[in-house]
């Protein structure tokens, strides 16, 4: 059986040279190359969604791939597609990089300039390892290595006070109530309020995972808090200055670890862009930007969208704006927000009704918001629109009514 090899690199000349050598290897079947980290992960996810057997046995990553650095990319591939063997091609084949590459999950390292003998040896060894892993797992491989992993949703505020945190909490609650294992992460590192909204005191936080290079299930379990609702929470540090310890690399690793264990991962990124927040917005399946229908907030939303685009974090058309505190009497309606920002705008707008929220917010019981609340119904309806809830599930107390948690009618998928 031929060995499928997927080359990944941004330098066309380097990739062309790599493919030429790969084509000479016995029983090798080079795949069309991918040019950046995003395309590599998307390609593997698409193949894994069809079948684990469709995944290549070997991925060869050139050190100059971007925008995600090579070692961080290897770590993400190893976490999300563990039956795929990764080889790093690099000019620095010293023991330091070799050790770092192995810690990231690489199965081999090949030095530049490329040598046929060395490349052939590494590819053969990694291909045998990958085949052995799949054979050992047998039919259970498809269950363990779904490849695509959980859905990551980031919720950012166009500016402070637009309601991003409450939106993140209710989206996570809706997903959990529908039967999907859900994690809620507070990545608003200096001013995160999820613990206050849910009246939680817990000594561990996202900072405890920042310096760990290999986040095992046990390490992850020690860092998270399991809420009475079933939600798994990873909180912001109590000391805001410690948020600087969470780098973009650490954020990618943490969210990748959560994605591999939970069906839905909702991340509150706050209104201030940090390196960690930017990394997670970039890797998210859905990026939400919450605004209110007033001139200042909509201008802030437009400014944020343009900044994300300039920094190559997220394109405008890949961002969804959620309009909070909406009223039919306001001059700025969702259609106008869409034209101004150039983004998609969620069909579900969240009504302005703070009286429904004040008591539970002040008490730190946001999870006890009444199901009759129009705000809760809209937010849980938004979860349905985004595909975060299971359409066939209904919450206890609503079975047989044709309505899902919070009383909204579930959308057919």
């Amino acid at each position: 059986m031929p060995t499928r090899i997927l080359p990944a690199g941004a330098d066309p000349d380097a990739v062309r040279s790599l493919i030429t050598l790969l084509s000479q290897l016995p029983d090798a079947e080079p795949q069309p190359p991918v040019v950046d980290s995003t395309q590599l992960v998307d390609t593997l996810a698409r193949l894994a969604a069809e079948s684990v057997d469709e995944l290549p046995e070997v991925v060869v990553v050139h050190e100059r791939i971007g925008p995600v650095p090579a070692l961080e990319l290897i770590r993400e591939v190893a976490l999300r597609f563990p039956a795929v063997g990764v080889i790093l091609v690099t000019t620095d084949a010293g023991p330091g990089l070799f050790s770092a590459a192995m810690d990231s999950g690489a199965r081999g390292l090949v030095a530049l300039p490329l040598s046929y003998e060395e490349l052939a040896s590494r590819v053969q060894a990694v291909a045998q390892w990958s085949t052995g892993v799949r054979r050992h797992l047998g039919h259970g491989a498809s269950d363990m290595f779904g490849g695509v992993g959980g859905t990551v949703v980031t919720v950012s505020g166009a500016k402070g006070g637009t309601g991003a945190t409450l939106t993140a909490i209710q989206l996570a609650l809706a997903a959990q109530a529908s039967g999907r294992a859900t994690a809620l992460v507070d990545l608003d590192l200096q001013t995160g309020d999820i613990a206050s909204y849910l009246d939680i005191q817990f000594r561990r936080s996202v900072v405890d995972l920042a310096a760990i290079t290999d986040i095992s299930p046990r390490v992850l379990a020690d860092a998270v808090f399991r809420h009475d609702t079933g939600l798994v929470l990873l909180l912001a540090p109590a000391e805001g200055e410690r948020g600087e310890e969470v780098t973009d690399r650490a954020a990618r690793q943490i969210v990748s670890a959560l994605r591999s264990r939970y069906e839905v991962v909702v991340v509150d990124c706050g209104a201030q862009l940090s390196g960690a927040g930017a990394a997670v917005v970039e890797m998210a399946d859905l990026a939400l930007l919450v605004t209110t229908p007033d001139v200042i907030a909509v201008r802030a939303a437009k400014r944020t969208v343009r900044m994300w685009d300039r920094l190559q974090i997220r394109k405008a058309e890949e961002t969804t704006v959620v309009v909070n505190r909406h009223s039919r009497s306001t001059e700025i309606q969702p259609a106008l927000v869409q034209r101004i920002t150039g983004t998609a705008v969620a069909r579900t707008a969240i009504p302005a009704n703070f009286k429904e929220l004040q008591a539970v917010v002040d008490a730190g019981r946001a999870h006890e918001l009444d199901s009759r609340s129009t705000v809760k119904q809209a937010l849980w309806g938004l979860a349905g629109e985004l595909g975060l809830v299971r359409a066939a599930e209904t919450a206890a107390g609503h079975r047989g009514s044709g309505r899902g948690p919070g009383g909204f009618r579930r959308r057919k998928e």
Side-chain angles (χ1 to χ4, degrees), residues 8-326:
D11 185 336
D13 293 334
V15 171
R16 193 177 304 111
S17 173
L18 176 61
I19 292 175
T20 299
L21 278 180
L22 291 174
S23 301
Q24 299 173 19
L25 302 182
D27 296 324
E29 187 179 294
Q31 307 292 299
V34 295
V35 299
D36 59 35
S37 56
T38 301
Q39 189 180 3
L40 173 60
V41 174
D42 288 348
T43 298
L44 294 175
R46 174 177 52 78
L47 294 171
E50 297 175 11
S51 169
V52 175
D53 293 334
E54 297 298 318
L55 287 168
E57 285 76 22
V58 180
V59 171
V60 182
V61 176
H62 191 278
E63 63 180 353
R64 293 182 182 175
I65 197 168
V68 175
L71 291 182
E72 295 179 25
L73 175 61
I74 291 170
R75 189 184 305 278
E76 182 173 358
V77 170
L79 281 168
R80 294 182 60 183
F81 314 98
V84 174
V86 184
I87 297 173
L88 175 64
V89 176
T90 176
T91 53
D92 176 14
L97 181 61
F98 181 85
S99 177
M102 296 305 106
D103 288 343
S104 296
R107 301 300 308 179
L109 186 147
V110 176
L112 289 169
L114 292 172
S115 157
Y116 174 85
E117 290 76 14
E118 184 182 11
L119 183 62
S121 174
R122 282 292 88 212
V123 167
Q124 182 180 18
V126 173
Q128 288 177 349
W129 171 86
S130 176
T131 302
V133 168
R134 300 180 195 202
R135 185 184 302 117
H136 175 73
L137 292 169
H139 295 296
S142 60
D143 295 332
M144 184 172 181
F145 300 138
V148 177
T151 299
V152 175
V153 184
T154 58
V155 184
S156 306
K159 57 184 288 295
T162 57
T165 297
L166 185 66
T167 298
I169 290 171
Q170 292 298 328
L171 291 177
L173 287 170
Q176 178 68 34
S178 77
R180 305 188 74 183
T182 303
L184 175 60
V185 184
D186 196 342
L187 213 60
D188 187 357
L189 296 170
Q190 278 75 44
T191 58
D193 284 325
I194 286 179
S196 297
Y197 272 89
L198 300 176
D199 194 23
I200 294 168
Q201 293 183 347
F202 188 59
R203 63 186 181 87
R204 295 196 180 276
S205 74
V206 66
V207 171
D208 292 292
L209 298 176
I212 298 176
T213 56
D214 184 14
I215 302 177
S216 66
R218 182 171 182 176
V219 168
L220 188 62
D222 287 342
V224 300
F225 178 88
R226 186 168 293 277
H227 193 259
D228 293 342
T229 58
L231 275 182
V232 168
L233 307 175
L234 185 57
L235 302 172
E239 304 84 11
E241 66 275 14
R242 296 199 63 195
E244 296 180 358
E245 298 174 33
V246 184
T247 63
D248 54 347
R249 179 203 59 80
R252 287 193 188 95
Q253 181 180 343
I254 291 166
V255 173
S256 293
L258 288 166
R259 188 207 293 264
S260 70
R261 298 191 60 81
Y262 297 96
E263 294 178 80
V264 177
V265 180
V266 180
V267 186
D268 178 7
C269 293
Q272 298 296 320
L273 185 68
S274 64
V280 177
V281 170
E282 180 186 7
M283 69 183 292
D285 300 291
L286 295 168
L288 306 182
L289 183 62
V290 182
T291 186
T292 47
D294 57 85
V295 172
I296 302 301
V298 174
R299 282 179 176 171
K302 182 179 180 180
R303 191 164 57 241
T304 298
V305 169
R306 287 184 170 180
M307 177 174 63
W308 286 0
D309 189 47
R310 288 195 305 273
L311 297 177
Q312 298 184 343
I313 296 170
R314 199 100 184 170
K315 294 179 181 178
E317 57 268 25
E318 296 173 349
T319 302
T320 300
V321 168
V322 176
V323 179
N324 189 23
R325 299 176 198 147
H326 171 260

